[in-house]
Amino acid sequence: MPLRDNTADHAATDRTFQVDLRGLVDLLSHHLYSSPRVYLRELLQNAVDALTARHAVEPGGDFGIRLYADGATVRVEDDGVGLTEADVHTFLATIGRSSKRAEQVAEQRADFIGQFGIGLLSCFLVADEIHVVSRSARTPDAPAVEWRGRGDGSYTVRTLPAAARPRPGTTVTLTPRADAGEWTRPAQVHALARHFGSLLRHPVTFDDGSAGGGVPVNSEPAPWSRTYPTPGARSRALAAYGEEVFGFAPLDTIELDLPAVGLKGIACVLPEAVPAGRRHGHRVHVKGMLLSEQAEEILPEWAFFVRCVVDAESLRPTASREALYEDDTLAAVRDALAERLRAWIARAAASDPELLGRFLQAHHLAVKSLAVHDDEILRMLLPWLPFETTAGHCTLDEFARTHRTVLVTSSVEEFRQVAAIASAAGLGVVNGGYTYDRQLVHRLPEIRPEVTVADLDPATLTAHLDPVDRETELAAAAYLAQARDALAVFDCDVALRTFQPASAPALLVDSREARHERTRSQLAREQEGGLWGDILGALRQEAPRAQLILNQLNPLVRTAVTIDEPELARTSAEALYGQAAMLSRRPLRPAESSLINRSFLDLLAHALRKDS
């Protein structure tokens, strides 16, 4: 039997999405905007965009924004382009719907901070009703229009007599909820206006209803846009502004100017080092309006030695307008600002060594991270960068003058093991265990072709230790055999040499890689026969042995090698191993800690038995 087609019985019906405005406001407050305080930024932004549009209609007009807050209401008045009744329905009463007029405005969006959309809804974060009165400058004979929007999603629109709004422009009034007092008190409104609008290009005033009248919010242009009598005065003014914004006196200020995207501002060099990898946020304004105080994406990761404040024309904000949208323009800006920072470093290296010295003292890690990937900075600054060496902390340029062969360790631990002995032996060793250091030291021949760089390995070090004469070695043979047997559990060989300083009784030569290989081999033996043991066995190599090198010049060692009592010889060898392990300043394994305690107790017990 053929199946019956029920399509006609179940015809689809087109329906319209219903918007729960309260739910939308909750979404804005908890997931889009960082704080209810953004309501004032959105009001200022709409007013600024309205003024921008008004100037397009009437160039050269004297227009401004007036902000009022008396504790009972918050009101923003602008002399902008205003709205007709049709505009009100298009832009205030519709969420997300496109229109011919909206598309035309979008095409001209480069002239505006924001765009028509959900911005006005942010006012519902602090008020249950938004009251708007507007009169159009494009249609002078059009009546004033009143729009009242409520948090439940309802609104009313009506026309008003001309006297209700004699001049073109818009007035937005909020009656704050009781729980929004934190953001709507007069002092807070004034502070927020200065915070968001201090660099706006249109005049903004604030009035709290007192007899004093309105006070300017943005009385002066941005400091980089002002004129100064001398370059020194300009430099001091920019530094003072940086200190006012960020709370620290900059080591120096770097002017930033990218005409292609209309960006101007300053980068303030931090006077102290910051933890590696920590990125400070930067203060970014778009067309004068503060967008973000934590815009990390404006600079590359290596530039954590500066904090920037910039104002740009062409950067694109995200939907919340609290961060920058990652696009090709932002990537190009980031690269261009990086070049400005490189140029500043180059100028300091060429003409201000005192400033460069203070900068490198605080931020050598940031410069090292840059030099690893930037050949120009490498050639310019590698000789100036400080490193830990067997000659103390010094620059590679200073170190290379006395050491034509530079040896570099792979870890801090290895450097600490060998530093004193290598120095006494005349070896030039650099600690390559810190971030970027080993990579940079290996590139030293690119700057100093006469210098050779090689990794330090145990064979290189032991080759520079003097052997003892054959008679002394034969006399110590029995002790060395006992010592090797005692330390076999640590895969450690024992040798007798002479080296400086004589105060060092023993040197433990052991790399991290060797210890890892021995640990892997031990696991393979313990797991032999199982799947994991087979896997480890397949990777098995001959485990490299550690080496305890006893110093014949040391009085303690000369006494120890004469011990003929087997138990005491083993205990003294264990004590020398433990002392050398501690002097290497690497983390001790549990077995080593136990050995140190046991050998000390055994020596103490032996001494007590002898005394009795």
Side-chain angles (χ1 to χ4, degrees):
M1 178 181 294
L3 296 175
R4 182 182 177 185
D5 185 355
N6 293 322
T7 304
D9 297 341
H10 300 281
T13 303
D14 287 339
R15 299 183 182 277
T16 302
F17 283 106
Q18 301 300 308
V19 176
D20 180 354
L21 192 57
R22 289 191 184 279
L24 183 58
V25 171
D26 181 72
L27 178 68
L28 294 177
S29 61
H30 291 98
H31 300 285
L32 185 62
Y33 295 124
S34 61
S35 165
R37 68 178 186 167
V38 300
Y39 83 93
L40 192 67
R41 184 197 65 198
E42 297 294 337
L43 288 176
L44 285 173
Q45 177 175 287
N46 288 341
V48 170
D49 285 345
L51 289 180
T52 302
R54 179 76 182 273
H55 279 290
V57 176
E58 303 176 43
D62 184 16
F63 309 126
I65 302 170
R66 295 165 297 281
L67 181 60
Y68 302 87
D70 59 7
T73 61
V74 175
R75 188 168 77 252
V76 178
E77 294 182 359
D78 68 67
D79 301 320
V81 72
L83 301 170
T84 63
E85 183 175 354
D87 293 334
V88 167
H89 286 289
T90 299
F91 299 126
L92 300 186
T94 303
I95 299 173
R97 187 178 71 191
S98 180
S99 68
K100 290 293 183 182
R101 174 71 181 284
E103 291 170 1
Q104 293 170 0
V105 171
E107 291 174 359
Q108 304 168 357
R109 186 175 175 270
D111 295 330
F112 299 91
I113 299 174
Q115 58 183 319
F116 293 103
I118 61 176
L120 193 63
L121 294 181
S122 65
C123 295
F124 286 124
L125 300 176
V126 297
D128 289 325
E129 183 176 279
I130 304 171
H131 180 215
V132 178
V133 175
S134 187
R135 184 174 179 181
S136 175
R138 288 194 178 96
T139 313
D141 57 346
V145 183
E146 178 191 69
W147 178 87
R148 288 183 182 271
R150 289 170 285 276
D152 60 5
S154 63
Y155 70 91
T156 59
V157 178
R158 64 174 181 147
T159 58
L160 300 174
R165 178 78 200 195
R167 298 182 301 173
T170 301
T171 301
V172 180
T173 305
L174 309 179
T175 302
R177 293 193 304 272
D179 62 354
E182 176 184 359
W183 307 108
T184 57
R185 292 192 301 269
Q188 180 68 296
V189 172
H190 188 202
L192 290 176
R194 289 187 56 81
H195 179 73
F196 289 118
S198 62
L199 298 185
L200 288 175
R201 292 84 181 266
H202 302 287
V204 182
T205 61
F206 172 78
D207 189 348
D208 62 2
S210 63
V215 296
V217 168
N218 53 342
S219 55
E220 294 182 303
W224 47 82
S225 299
R226 304 172 201 165
T227 57
Y228 299 90
T230 64
R234 181 179 183 84
S235 178
R236 289 189 294 273
L238 294 179
Y241 180 73
E243 185 171 6
E244 176 187 345
V245 171
F246 295 123
F248 64 83
L251 186 66
D252 197 15
T253 56
I254 307 165
E255 289 206 54
L256 306 174
D257 187 3
L258 303 178
V261 291
L263 183 146
K264 289 180 178 290
I266 57 172
C268 298
V269 182
L270 289 156
E272 298 178 350
V274 295
R278 178 181 174 183
R279 299 184 67 188
H280 284 293
H282 306 287
R283 192 178 177 95
V284 176
H285 299 251
V286 174
K287 299 179 178 69
M289 181 69 71
L290 178 64
L291 178 78
S292 174
E293 296 175 279
Q294 299 297 325
E296 295 181 355
E297 61 275 15
I298 194 74
L299 286 180
E301 290 186 9
W302 55 259
F304 52 79
F305 56 89
V306 297
R307 294 193 70 182
C308 293
V309 52
V310 299
D311 186 19
E313 295 287 335
S314 302
L315 293 179
R316 179 181 172 191
T318 59
S320 66
R321 292 190 282 283
E322 296 185 306
L324 294 171
Y325 187 83
E326 189 68 46
D327 57 11
D328 291 343
T329 300
L330 179 58
V333 166
R334 184 163 48 238
D335 290 344
L337 292 180
E339 285 300 321
R340 298 299 188 275
L341 299 185
R342 289 188 183 95
W344 175 83
I345 294 174
R347 286 195 302 273
S351 61
D352 197 340
E354 189 273 334
L355 173 61
L356 180 67
R358 287 188 290 130
F359 169 66
L360 291 179
Q361 184 177 8
H363 300 295
H364 58 271
L365 182 59
V367 177
K368 286 178 179 180
S369 70
L370 176 58
V372 167
H373 306 290
D374 191 307
D375 291 344
E376 181 181 351
I377 293 297
L378 177 79
R379 289 191 296 272
M380 188 185 310
L381 293 183
L382 183 58
W384 295 81
L385 292 172
F387 290 81
E388 185 179 9
T389 75
T390 47
H393 282 83
C394 62
T395 67
L396 285 185
D397 194 52
E398 295 170 331
F399 195 63
R401 291 173 191 167
T402 54
H403 297 89
R404 286 294 182 259
T405 298
V406 175
L407 302 173
V408 58
T409 64
S410 60
S411 69
V412 175
E413 174 187 310
E414 290 177 5
F415 178 81
R416 289 172 176 170
Q417 287 180 26
V418 305
I421 286 81
S423 178
L427 296 177
V429 182
V430 178
N431 186 350
Y434 296 114
T435 307
Y436 311 117
D437 282 15
R438 186 166 174 267
Q439 295 168 271
L440 290 171
V441 174
H442 272 286
R443 298 192 67 180
L444 180 60
E446 298 176 31
I447 314 301
R448 298 282 183 269
E450 70 277 10
V451 175
T452 301
V453 176
D455 287 325
L456 177 69
D457 57 41
T460 303
L461 179 64
T462 54
H464 284 77
L465 304 181
D466 296 329
V468 297
D469 60 71
R470 185 168 180 77
E471 183 179 344
T472 301
E473 188 166 9
L474 287 174
Y479 178 84
L480 294 178
Q482 293 281 357
R484 292 186 185 105
D485 184 62
L487 301 179
V489 66
F490 297 111
D491 288 312
C492 183
D493 198 4
V494 184
L496 185 64
R497 298 284 189 275
T498 62
F499 55 85
Q500 294 293 338
S503 58
L507 169 66
L508 180 60
V509 179
D510 192 16
S511 68
R512 182 182 303 174
E513 293 75 13
R515 290 197 302 278
H516 287 174
E517 176 60 27
R518 293 197 298 272
T519 300
R520 188 205 58 73
S521 299
Q522 177 64 30
L523 286 173
R525 290 193 293 270
E526 294 174 356
Q527 299 288 336
E528 193 165 359
L531 175 61
W532 183 239
D534 292 341
I535 294 172
L536 292 174
L539 300 173
R540 182 176 301 168
Q541 303 173 0
E542 183 178 349
R545 294 172 65 82
Q547 196 170 32
L548 180 68
I549 303 175
L550 304 180
N551 186 5
Q552 175 65 17
L553 298 179
N554 183 266
L556 176 62
V557 172
R558 288 201 302 270
T559 300
V561 298
T562 64
I563 298 173
D564 54 10
E565 182 181 338
E567 182 181 349
L568 181 58
R570 292 175 62 90
T571 300
S572 66
E574 290 173 341
L576 286 168
Y577 176 90
Q579 183 183 25
M582 288 190 295
L583 289 175
S584 72
R585 292 189 283 184
R586 64 168 169 80
L588 296 177
R589 291 173 287 178
E592 292 172 330
S593 298
S594 176
L595 175 140
I596 292 170
N597 292 330
R598 186 179 69 249
S599 62
F600 176 79
L601 291 174
D602 288 349
L603 288 172
L604 183 61
H606 182 273
L608 291 174
R609 285 198 305 270
K610 185 177 180 180
D611 289 342
S612 62

